[in-house]
Amino acid sequence: MKRAGIAMLAVLAFAGCVSAPGIRYYTLDMRASGQVAGAVNVRVERLREVESLARKEILIQRTPTQIEYYAVDEWAAAPGELIGQKLEAELGSVDEGAPVILTTGMILDFEQVDTANGADATVRLKLAFHREGESRYDRPLAEKVYEVTRTADSATPGAVVEALSRCLEDIAVQIAKDVRAF
């Protein structure tokens, strides 16, 4: 009798494992869009996430006061790492001999925002810019909050990730314009 009970538990446990959905991993589109005309000498040093973004699950803002996360849809790496790589891909390679601007900052929003018509992707970054060789504790050349929202093609994780990639491309254009003014 005991063996039959143990065997039944084992079968149920195995069935639960077999039917559990697998994790789907996402990354940003790291191909340069070509929107930034010419390379700018910007290197992304460190982007920290606010606490709600410091996890691998993709964030969904359901209402102005309610958030949740996709259960099986996760980032392949930390959002700060992915955003830094995407911005560097957009801004181009560093021109040897030209001054380099270092960028640090905070990721304030990087998420799906549910709307009455579907889903928007929102990116908001608070960035500080320093010349290479200067301490990040020195007064920065500039500090600015960049924010872009785009409507996703559908309210699915894949469509939202695509829209987040496009948001970062728009932000890279704004960064390049600002950095050229230093």
Side-chain angles (χ1 to χ4, degrees):
M1 188 68 142
K2 258 187 184 177
R3 287 185 185 204
I6 292 173
M8 181 59 95
L9 286 175
V11 168
L12 290 174
F14 179 73
C17 292
V18 170
S19 64
I23 302 295
R24 291 183 296 258
Y25 295 99
Y26 292 86
T27 188
L28 297 170
D29 180 352
M30 295 298 177
R31 298 173 294 182
S33 67
Q35 292 184 54
V36 176
V40 292
N41 290 333
V42 175
R43 188 170 64 232
V44 179
E45 284 287 291
R46 175 161 163 73
L47 297 176
R48 295 176 294 129
E49 304 94 351
V50 294
E51 188 173 339
S52 61
L53 297 171
R55 51 192 293 172
K56 287 208 166 185
E57 294 87 3
I58 298 172
L59 178 74
I60 307 165
Q61 180 87 35
R62 291 282 182 213
T63 70
T65 59
Q66 179 189 10
I67 65 169
E68 60 186 50
Y69 298 89
Y70 278 106
V72 297
D73 300 287
E74 297 183 359
W75 293 111
E81 183 180 330
L82 294 173
I83 292 170
Q85 290 173 3
K86 176 62 175 171
L87 290 175
E88 286 186 348
E90 288 297 317
L91 295 167
S93 59
V94 175
D95 179 13
E96 296 300 325
V100 175
I101 303 297
L102 303 178
T103 303
T104 58
M106 181 71 90
I107 305 163
L108 304 173
D109 292 302
F110 189 63
E111 63 217 22
Q112 172 180 325
V113 178
D114 285 350
T115 67
N117 299 324
D120 287 345
T122 297
V123 178
R124 189 165 54 112
L125 308 175
K126 181 179 180 183
L127 302 179
F129 301 93
H130 291 87
R131 285 192 173 82
E132 186 175 47
E134 293 178 354
S135 169
R136 69 176 140 176
Y137 302 107
D138 290 342
R139 183 181 180 109
L141 295 169
E143 290 182 292
K144 185 172 178 180
V145 174
Y146 296 89
E147 183 172 1
V148 173
T149 297
R150 283 184 168 245
T151 300
D153 290 339
S154 64
T156 62
V160 170
V161 169
E162 278 295 321
L164 288 168
S165 294
R166 303 297 82 82
C167 289
L168 288 167
E169 291 166 2
D170 294 345
I171 288 173
V173 170
Q174 295 173 26
I175 291 171
K177 179 182 173 190
D178 292 341
V179 167
R180 286 185 178 113
F182 297 153

